[in-house]
Amino acid sequence: MGMGLKEKLALGKEYYEVRLESIGGLGANLCGKMLGELGVKYLEVNSTNFSSYGSEKTGTPVKGFIRYCDKDKEIREHSPVEKPDLLVVFHQALLKDASVLSGCDENTTIILALEPGQEISDAMIETCRNALGAEFYGLEAQRIAMETHSRINVVMLGATLKLMGMSDTSVGQMICKDTLGKKYPDALAANLEGLRRGYEEVRRLELPEAGTDSVGYSQQGECHNAENIVSQGQPKWGYQTAPIGGVNPLFGSTVISDLSPSRQGYIPLFIKERCINCGLCHSACPDMVFQFKKGEYNGKEMMVNQGLDYYHCKGCLRCVDVCPVNALVTGVEAEHSDKEYFMPNQELLRAPEYYEESGPDGYITSESYLTEKRMEGGEV
């Protein structure tokens, strides 16, 4: 295990920095706040935290940034964490975007939330190898959250404390009581159990050779080194270096992005015979999911809804909310492996090579999540 927070600060490092990579709905924003507060309250260091995210809905990308320094110093830097000492990835599918590991090197420790019983694909393994010399740790956070009826964020908090060098979960328990105990006392015991298991079950990852079948756990496993193309080979776009014309070339905002890994269990289902082709779904959708073309409806020529591009659908279900005739309803993705009216965007010049169907995230339909949502309010 690499050096923790206190060790690095003792060696004269100006800041100990943590970056959280997640998607909306897994609680990374709250986890970042808890990590920031416990520094000031219980670790006797100065700390700051903030999050970066777009529209506040399930499935959208979320980043959290936390900085620590000696208590006699002032934190005067408030920019995003580019070279983290600790990187925490809340969802394995995020590794499809190599920029998630941007800035990681031999001084970085990385925690991956692995999906229950699933393997890391060769493509994701190659992405991990691009983090030059980093130490990888993993845990099945989703399974632990479901078994303990807790949240993924507290499970990841426990693992984070372990890799920050905490000798036990005492400071994590205190910040959980401060943050969750007063507002949701009925859920506190379950969350503390999730915190404990996250701390105890995080293990060193030994990445297999490309083409093998699984990822193993090892206390002594070593990470493979490779050229760090993530941090060295991709230019950083700004107002001086962006292409002429104002085009945003970033991976996550292009029309060919595959948003399917962002879904967390639910999808909109299209009932074509109910559709009146009003276009409200298209107006409400932020991601060009609905495919219209000229056709005939009630004897008139008009734009007719042909179906949904599920590659672009992140599962926010805004379309279901606005549909006036219930032509769009909520469905559990696990029950619809063959999606009816699946219509990829016909205006694209080519199908992206990295388009892959993503399995559903069962956590959102689990008793753990539903129990929490039945409680007043809920923490996201």
Side-chain angles (χ1 to χ4, degrees):
M1 185 182 298
M3 289 188 292
L5 183 155
K6 292 294 183 69
E7 292 173 295
K8 286 195 174 184
L9 292 182
L11 291 176
K13 196 174 190 300
E14 185 176 12
Y15 298 119
Y16 181 90
E17 298 176 309
V18 181
R19 188 170 80 220
L20 311 180
E21 296 276 357
S22 183
I23 55 178
L26 299 184
N29 185 33
L30 179 63
C31 184
K33 291 179 180 178
M34 296 168 73
L35 284 168
E37 290 181 10
L38 71 83
V40 174
K41 288 185 174 180
Y42 304 116
L43 299 181
E44 296 185 345
V45 296
N46 278 344
S47 59
T48 183
N49 78 91
F50 67 95
S51 296
S52 172
Y53 47 85
S55 56
E56 296 186 57
K57 61 180 182 289
T58 295
T60 52
V62 175
K63 295 178 184 288
F65 308 103
I66 305 97
R67 282 189 176 90
Y68 302 97
C69 71
D70 290 332
K71 62 180 179 180
D72 58 345
K73 295 182 180 179
E74 182 179 355
I75 298 178
R76 302 182 63 86
E77 186 172 342
H78 303 285
S79 59
V81 173
E82 294 187 352
K83 293 188 175 182
D85 295 280
L86 179 62
L87 176 68
V88 186
V89 182
F90 277 61
H91 200 292
Q92 175 180 312
L94 289 169
L95 294 178
K96 293 177 72 174
D97 182 356
S99 67
V100 166
L101 302 184
S102 175
C104 296
D105 56 23
E106 69 276 4
N107 298 313
T108 307
T109 301
I110 300 174
I111 306 175
L112 301 178
L114 306 175
E115 298 182 26
Q118 293 192 11
E119 302 163 356
I120 296 182
S121 68
D122 286 350
M124 294 181 184
I125 292 171
E126 289 305 314
T127 299
C128 291
R129 292 195 179 108
N130 291 330
L132 185 63
E135 290 186 344
F136 282 85
Y137 291 79
L139 73 163
E140 293 185 4
Q142 184 185 115
R143 174 182 59 80
I144 296 171
M146 294 171 70
E147 290 177 354
T148 59
H149 287 195
S150 61
R151 290 296 310 273
I152 287 179
N153 56 355
V154 295
V155 176
M156 296 303 288
L157 176 63
T160 301
L161 294 177
K162 179 72 169 288
L163 274 298
M164 285 174 59
M166 303 297 110
S167 59
D168 54 41
T169 62
S170 57
V171 293
Q173 293 177 29
M174 289 187 286
I175 199 65
C176 282
K177 291 175 182 178
D178 294 343
T179 307
L180 305 174
K182 296 178 181 178
K183 195 171 184 179
Y184 308 106
D186 293 341
L188 180 60
N191 282 316
L192 292 179
E193 177 64 11
L195 176 82
R196 180 189 67 80
R197 288 190 55 184
Y199 182 93
E200 293 179 353
E201 295 185 27
V202 64
R203 295 290 185 270
R204 179 77 178 268
L205 278 180
E206 182 177 5
L207 300 182
E209 296 295 333
T212 55
D213 295 331
S214 64
V215 171
Y217 289 111
S218 171
Q219 293 291 349
Q220 304 298 327
E222 296 182 358
C223 180
H224 297 262
N225 290 341
E227 182 182 2
N228 190 358
I229 63 172
V230 176
S231 60
Q232 298 177 6
Q234 296 182 351
K236 295 182 179 179
W237 298 108
Y239 74 95
Q240 291 181 325
T241 57
I244 296 175
V247 176
N248 182 355
L250 295 179
F251 180 92
S253 58
T254 59
V255 69
I256 57 176
S257 300
D258 181 4
L259 302 182
S260 59
S262 295
R263 292 197 295 269
Q264 295 188 44
Y266 295 118
I267 57 172
L269 301 177
F270 183 38
I271 306 175
K272 191 173 180 62
E273 57 269 23
R274 295 181 184 175
C275 182
I276 59 175
N277 300 299
C278 63
L280 286 176
C281 55
H282 181 67
S283 299
C285 179
D287 297 304
M288 299 178 291
V289 168
F290 295 93
Q291 307 303 305
F292 282 78
K293 73 175 184 178
K294 285 185 179 180
E296 184 177 306
Y297 176 70
N298 284 345
K300 298 180 180 180
E301 183 179 340
M302 62 189 304
M303 298 300 290
V304 176
N305 193 348
Q306 305 298 307
L308 293 74
D309 184 350
Y310 283 105
Y311 290 132
H312 288 163
C313 178
K314 64 169 64 77
C316 69
L317 302 178
R318 287 183 176 184
C319 56
V320 174
D321 293 336
V322 301
C323 183
V325 292
N326 292 325
L328 290 160
V329 297
T330 301
V332 178
E333 185 167 6
E335 299 173 359
H336 299 276
S337 56
D338 296 324
K339 299 175 178 61
E340 195 173 6
Y341 299 110
F342 191 162
M343 176 68 67
N345 192 331
Q346 299 301 296
E347 295 182 2
L348 295 180
L349 296 179
R350 64 177 178 83
E353 296 176 355
Y354 49 83
Y355 266 180
E356 297 179 5
E357 292 187 27
S358 174
D361 183 342
Y363 174 69
I364 291 296
T365 55
S366 71
E367 183 62 23
S368 173
Y369 185 86
L370 297 178
T371 297
E372 175 195 326
K373 287 302 178 185
R374 283 192 285 267
M375 302 170 66
E376 183 178 358
E379 288 284 353
V380 176

